[in-house]
Amino acid sequence: QVQLQQPGAELVRPGASVKLSCKASGYTFTSYWMNWVKQRPGQGLEWIGMIDPSDSETHYNQMFKDKATLTVDKSSSTAYMQLSSLTSEDSAVYYCARTLSNAMDYWGQGTSVTVSS
Amino acid sequence: DIQMTQSPSSLSASLGERVSLTCRASQEISGYLSWLQQKPDGTIKRLIYAASTLDSGVPKRFSGSRSGSDYSLTISSLESEDFADYYCLQYASYPYMYTFGGGTKLEIK
């Protein structure tokens, strides 16, 4: 069965960077684009961007193009998102979600990122 | 960019009640819409895609429909596990942009 495994939580200092992971299993990793989505506490969902694991082509929401960098490691079927210059505005839960026929189908459990000194 | 206006933002309903949620698209999205359910523990599950196609394993009390630029999710008879947050998601702008509705919090009356 399709699974997207994400670490539960990360604590990071303001101004630092963090690299979040999403390990895929149960399907051919390189055959489906992977998305990343942000959810701030008590708020709705925002699309950050997506990556094609077969060739690392990316598309970003313009709002996040200077904040997020998407990469993959095909050898371990893992997608990554690096967030830079973190502030309190970046404290949120970050989800990965697979794309099937243009729509997101399976979602990871999310990683909660807390930016605090 | 396409905007998705979801209503209501919150809804209080009883077990067994029929409820409907709506998303209005600011531009034509040609049925490229899905509905997501988010449980209190954060788990997100897709219920419907292509406006009205039920995902495998999703109970038949869930249904999706379209009327012009309005897209609706209907739950025919609420069960306890249905109390959650619901979001619509347009993917007509794929691969350049996805847009979520603002969400509906469905609570027990």
Side-chain angles (χ1 to χ4, degrees), chain B:
Chain B
D1 286 356
I2 298 173
Q3 308 299 318
M4 301 301 297
T5 303
Q6 187 169 345
S7 61
S9 57
S10 64
L11 178 58
S12 183
S14 303
L15 292 172
E17 191 172 337
R18 177 187 177 95
V19 298
S20 288
L21 320 177
T22 298
C23 273
R24 175 166 292 175
S26 64
Q27 300 175 37
E28 178 63 54
I29 60 170
S30 303
Y32 291 111
L33 182 121
S34 57
W35 288 96
L36 309 170
Q37 178 190 63
Q38 185 176 34
K39 290 293 185 74
D41 69 355
T43 301
I44 296 176
K45 177 183 175 182
R46 191 179 71 177
L47 303 174
I48 285 170
Y49 62 97
S52 60
T53 302
L54 208 62
D55 266 289
S56 176
V58 174
K60 288 182 168 46
R61 63 181 181 273
F62 290 92
S63 63
S65 63
R66 172 190 178 184
S67 175
S69 61
D70 289 342
Y71 293 80
S72 296
L73 172 69
T74 298
I75 309 173
S76 60
S77 179
L78 281 169
E79 299 198 6
S80 57
E81 62 263 33
D82 300 337
F83 293 94
D85 294 338
Y86 293 85
Y87 293 90
C88 64
L89 168 60
Q90 73 81 14
Y91 49 98
S93 310
Y94 173 92
Y96 302 107
M97 191 66 182
Y98 287 95
T99 313
F100 295 90
T104 296
K105 186 174 190 64
L106 179 54
E107 297 175 309
I108 300 177
K109 184 183 288 184

Side-chain angles (χ1 to χ4, degrees), chain A residues 4 8 16 18 22 37-38 43 45 55-57 60-61 68 75 83 88 92-93 96 98 103 105 107 110 112 114:
Chain A
L4 301 175
V18 66
C22 171
V37 173
K38 177 182 181 180
Q43 303 299 309
L45 301 164
D55 62 4
S56 294
E57 179 181 351
Y60 290 94
N61 180 340
S75 68
L83 300 170
S88 58
V93 177
C96 59
R98 192 183 76 161
D105 59 351
W107 291 67
S112 177
T114 301

Side-chain angles (χ1 to χ4, degrees), chain A residues 35-68:
Chain A
N35 298 274
W36 290 86
V37 173
K38 177 182 181 180
Q39 185 174 39
R40 295 208 66 205
Q43 303 299 309
L45 301 164
E46 291 181 274
W47 179 69
I48 295 171
M50 63 194 304
I51 185 166
D52 181 348
S54 68
D55 62 4
S56 294
E57 179 181 351
T58 53
H59 294 285
Y60 290 94
N61 180 340
Q62 287 299 299
M63 290 182 54
F64 292 95
K65 66 179 181 65
D66 296 326
K67 172 63 64 176

Side-chain angles (χ1 to χ4, degrees), chain A residues 4-51:
Chain A
L4 301 175
Q5 294 177 282
Q6 300 184 253
E10 297 272 359
L11 173 63
V12 291
R13 301 288 185 232
S17 296
V18 66
K19 192 171 186 177
L20 307 182
S21 64
C22 171
K23 183 171 176 58
S25 61
Y27 71 98
T28 302
F29 178 63
T30 51
S31 295
Y32 301 85
W33 289 69
M34 188 71 78
N35 298 274
W36 290 86
V37 173
K38 177 182 181 180
Q39 185 174 39
R40 295 208 66 205
Q43 303 299 309
L45 301 164
E46 291 181 274
W47 179 69
I48 295 171
M50 63 194 304
I51 185 166

